[in-house]
Amino acid sequence: MQKKTILVISNDAIVRDMLANLLAESGFHVSLAGTGSEALKIAASAGLDYALCERFLADVSGVELKRRFHRVSPKTRVIVVSSFTVIKGSNDVLRFGSSDFILDQGELLDLLRATGEDRPPVAEPVTDDRLKNCLVETIDILVGLLEVNDPFFGGNSHITMEYARSVAEEMRLSQERIDEILVASLLHDIGKIGIKTEVLTVKKEITESEFRTIQSHCENGAKILDAIDFPWKIRPIILHHHERYDGKGYPSGLKGREIPIGARILTVVDAFAAMTANRPYRRSLTKEEAIQELHKNVGTQFDPEVVEIFTGVIEKKFYFRGVGAKPKILMVDDEVDYLTLLKLKLVNEGFDVVATDNGVEAMRLMAVEKPDLAVVDVVMPGLDGLTMFRKMRGEKSALAEIPVVFLTAKEDTALKVEALYLGAEDYLVKPVELKELAARIRNIIRRDSRQRKGASGASTGVIGDLRNLGIPDIVQTLHLGLKTACVTLKDSGGNEGRIYFENGRIRHCEAGSLSGEEAFYKLLNLQEGPFVIAHGQTTQHRTIAMDEMQLMMEGLRRMDEGKREGVPE
Ligand SMILES: [Fe+2]
């Protein structure tokens, strides 16, 4: 029988050797790696059955490495443990760090088997809940696709649904009621199909007959959906979503609590979504102005309880850029399916998205659309992402100021370093978590607009996050590039540290009350958090004499030692 292959990834050579012996004795073919990049190289060239990986490596976190493994070696089962530490005096027992599992050889093998391919995958049962969720998500995507190219209504149904969900959950309605409200929110204006767009979107005096036509969308919508045997009672919500609390609404003139709760919620959140979105004939209101409008119409148009609850949750749960246009994103990716999905999700997150599948068209669109940010695929036929980026940053380019995030299927540290070094804001490997991408884009745009407002002429240099480019990579890049720069790093507590380079040599380092080598060793422990490389920034301090390689080696040795000391004997 062919031996199973396993890769052990740990900073600690002793642990690697110990695990190698243990696993080899048990019949595995064992490979070893000391860093994440080393592990990925091995994974790309060898078919691995398992990878056993420490949570904190010098260049990447174990969780991130597991994600990257999925790209280069999807069949490998990656097991991340908080850390491996050898317990002194024992030859066959390991402590798995803070997860506090003490495993002997047999238990370790059980762990591997339990997560391995030998166990047939268990299919998730098809339950009613699963089918209902699937139906809601399908409707969400289909309705989103109908709206996605509309600059004014793109994402409207999705955000209305999310607002309605937040109110219904806060009111602690039953799951069945909540599901009804979600589906009705997505489909509530389906009766507008067939009404001329200019009647709905152009601001002009409408005739009595046009007004009646608009009013008919509630009944028309209910009739259209009567043809479907929904598992939810969405008809009353769709039919009555334009009733008013004082009884002066349509189509039935229902009053107060005669109006179904779903319709009372939808009336409020639909009005808020409309007020805070641009229309062809007006700019959006600010969040505060829209809330004021809701309060003004409490008891007449709106249910007081719903308004109170909604105005409470809106502060906590939703992001607002403020009045005016949505942030505009240009996306370029030759994977058209992925591009469509990403565009839909970002539109639902409140962005205006212009998308294209090639770099040449992207350059043209950028000049016309002037986006707030570009999301660029690296590998594309014709004009690839990096060449496109260099052109954008070229001398006298009108596109030089547009922030760029690279999004790529290709995990390549050299490419990443080059992109960040050229000034890219971020570099993400697909598949990315879309909420995370949206949050990162917002942060970059916010920071960019702050920098423009307060531009004093000083360059902030390269900005990034240690999760994407670790300190060893930064040191290597600046050292080999013979750069003079100051790298500012922040930990999760907001404490700053600085590493100064002069012509590629580390000359000074500071972290809190520490300076010199000790400060460097402390900073080397940072696994995530923002960094800024300010080129040309120097200092008079000279606190480091060791060369960069010695510093790195000593720093990593101390990190290993620190972990071992944390384990009781
Ligand atoms: Fe409506």
Side-chain angles (χ1 to χ4, degrees):
M1 200 175 108
Q2 208 181 358
K3 283 184 173 182
K4 293 274 186 192
T5 53
I6 185 164
L7 174 64
V8 175
I9 311 149
S10 169
N11 291 319
D12 191 322
I14 299 171
V15 169
R16 288 198 300 270
D17 288 344
M18 182 175 169
L19 274 167
N21 290 337
L22 216 145
L23 291 162
E25 276 173 24
S26 305
F28 282 91
H29 179 76
V30 187
S31 308
L32 301 174
T35 62
S37 53
E38 216 181 307
L40 287 168
K41 271 186 206 150
I42 295 171
S45 60
L48 294 168
D49 295 304
Y50 304 101
L52 192 55
C53 171
E54 195 165 7
R55 186 170 160 211
F56 294 112
L57 298 165
D59 57 347
V60 68
S61 74
V63 174
E64 172 63 16
L65 186 61
K66 182 171 180 164
R67 200 175 63 83
R68 294 180 192 178
F69 254 84
H70 188 67
R71 304 292 312 173
V72 298
S73 183
K75 287 190 175 163
T76 305
R77 299 281 164 168
V78 182
I79 303 156
V80 181
V81 295
S82 46
S83 69
F84 308 123
T85 306
V86 180
I87 295 180
K88 284 179 189 168
S90 171
N91 289 326
D92 60 357
V93 179
L94 293 172
R95 178 177 283 269
F96 278 53
S98 58
S99 56
D100 232 9
F101 295 133
I102 298 176
L103 302 181
D104 65 16
Q105 187 168 355
E107 285 167 324
L108 175 60
L109 296 176
D110 283 348
L111 174 69
L112 292 171
R113 286 191 196 107
T115 54
E117 291 161 318
D118 300 339
R119 193 175 55 167
V122 181
E124 225 182 292
V126 181
T127 60
D128 282 357
D129 281 349
R130 200 171 152 210
L131 284 173
K132 282 181 185 176
N133 285 340
C134 180
L135 188 51
V136 174
E137 281 171 26
T138 306
I139 296 169
D140 186 19
I141 287 192
L142 291 180
V143 172
L145 286 172
L146 290 177
E147 294 174 343
V148 73
N149 290 321
D150 188 312
F152 301 103
F153 290 90
N156 183 67
S157 296
H158 179 82
I159 193 65
T160 304
M161 176 188 77
E162 291 298 344
Y163 290 155
R165 184 205 301 272
S166 68
V167 177
E169 287 178 352
E170 193 73 13
M171 291 180 104
R172 300 189 187 283
L173 300 184
S174 68
Q175 192 55 50
E176 198 182 342
R177 277 287 100 77
I178 293 174
D179 290 340
E180 275 169 21
I181 292 168
L182 298 186
V183 176
S185 306
L186 289 169
L187 297 173
H188 70 280
D189 274 342
I190 197 167
K192 283 183 178 169
I193 286 173
I195 301 179
K196 285 182 188 156
T197 314
E198 57 265 29
V199 176
L200 296 168
T201 59
V202 177
K203 191 185 187 186
K204 58 165 187 141
E205 287 295 312
I206 53 171
T207 64
E208 185 60 34
S209 106
E210 282 172 337
F211 184 55
R212 277 199 302 276
T213 304
I214 291 175
Q215 286 186 323
S216 69
H217 82 274
C218 300
E219 281 154 320
N220 289 345
K223 273 185 214 156
I224 291 168
L225 298 172
D226 276 346
I228 302 168
D229 184 18
F230 278 101
W232 307 283
K233 291 179 196 147
I234 61 169
R235 189 180 205 281
I237 306 178
I238 306 254
L239 184 63
H240 296 297
H241 77 274
H242 280 281
E243 304 288 358
R244 290 170 52 110
Y245 202 69
D246 59 8
K248 294 180 182 168
Y250 61 87
S252 310
L254 299 184
K255 199 173 176 181
R257 290 183 172 244
E258 291 168 6
I259 307 165
I261 180 62
R264 276 181 276 144
I265 292 175
L266 187 51
T267 308
V268 172
V269 299
D270 190 29
F272 183 84
M275 286 190 282
T276 50
N278 288 320
R279 289 293 178 257
Y281 47 84
R282 62 154 173 80
R283 302 286 268 178
S284 67
L285 300 188
T286 62
K287 177 182 69 175
E288 292 73 20
E289 287 166 340
I291 289 175
Q292 226 174 26
E293 280 300 308
L294 293 181
H295 282 306
K296 236 193 265 177
N297 294 288
V298 153
T300 49
Q301 190 176 355
F302 304 124
D303 179 338
E305 187 193 2
V306 173
V307 170
E308 194 188 325
I309 290 171
F310 181 56
T311 51
V313 294
I314 197 78
E315 298 285 354
K316 293 189 275 189
K317 293 194 176 169
F318 294 94
Y319 167 81
F320 286 88
R321 186 197 194 202
V323 71
K326 297 173 183 176
K328 188 181 279 185
I329 311 293
L330 180 123
M331 297 197 56
V332 49
D333 195 319
D334 63 321
E335 275 184 69
V336 178
D337 300 347
Y338 190 73
L339 187 68
T340 307
L341 177 69
L342 206 54
K343 177 175 175 177
L344 174 64
K345 296 288 182 183
L346 289 176
V347 165
N348 284 348
E349 287 289 323
F351 295 101
D352 182 6
V353 181
V354 181
T356 176
D357 64 356
N358 71 83
V360 175
E361 177 65 0
M363 293 291 283
R364 189 192 72 76
L365 281 171
M366 265 191 279
V368 179
E369 301 280 350
K370 301 187 173 48
D372 295 295
L373 182 142
V375 179
V376 177
D377 188 20
V378 174
V379 182
M380 292 185 289
L383 188 58
D384 69 89
L386 277 184
T387 311
M388 184 184 142
F389 186 50
R390 283 194 200 93
K391 281 184 184 232
M392 286 174 68
R393 294 293 186 261
E395 238 181 286
K396 294 182 186 163
S397 166
L399 313 176
E401 299 290 313
I402 298 173
V404 171
V405 172
F406 281 108
L407 195 61
T408 173
K410 196 169 172 178
E411 173 56 45
D412 185 327
T413 304
L415 256 182
K416 184 193 287 189
V417 171
E418 186 179 0
L420 292 173
Y421 192 73
L422 284 169
E425 296 292 337
D426 217 334
Y427 183 108
L428 301 171
V429 179
K430 297 175 198 169
V432 291
E433 171 54 50
L434 288 158
K435 289 264 178 205
E436 182 190 342
L437 176 66
R440 281 175 187 247
I441 289 175
R442 277 195 199 104
N443 280 344
I444 293 166
I445 292 175
R446 214 165 11 208
R447 191 175 61 209
D448 190 56
S449 71
R450 270 206 305 264
Q451 281 168 5
R452 278 172 210 232
K453 271 186 207 156
S456 59
S459 163
T460 50
V462 177
I463 298 169
D465 194 292
L466 292 175
R467 279 178 297 185
N468 302 317
L469 192 69
I471 293 176
D473 279 338
I474 296 173
V475 169
Q476 193 184 0
T477 306
L478 297 178
H479 176 58
L480 295 177
L482 305 177
K483 298 294 177 188
T484 297
C486 170
V487 184
T488 304
L489 307 134
K490 270 191 185 164
D491 66 17
S492 54
N495 303 310
E496 280 195 4
R498 288 187 181 76
I499 309 171
Y500 287 88
F501 290 76
E502 201 173 282
N503 300 319
R505 299 294 316 277
I506 299 178
R507 294 301 193 193
H508 172 62
C509 187
E510 57 196 39
S513 59
L514 299 175
S515 67
E517 285 94 359
E518 293 302 324
F520 183 83
Y521 302 144
K522 185 176 178 197
L523 292 177
L524 200 55
N525 283 292
L526 295 181
Q527 302 283 330
E528 56 187 339
F531 68 79
V532 177
I533 304 174
H535 291 289
Q537 196 170 318
T538 57
T539 175
Q540 297 301 312
H541 296 293
R542 293 285 181 273
T543 55
I544 292 186
M546 284 166 83
D547 76 31
E548 291 64 35
M549 185 55 76
Q550 281 177 315
L551 258 183
M552 289 296 303
M553 295 303 290
E554 175 61 15
L556 293 174
R557 191 191 68 73
R558 288 181 180 221
M559 282 169 71
D560 290 346
E561 204 169 65
K563 279 176 199 157
R564 277 200 297 278
E565 280 170 2
V567 178
E569 291 183 25

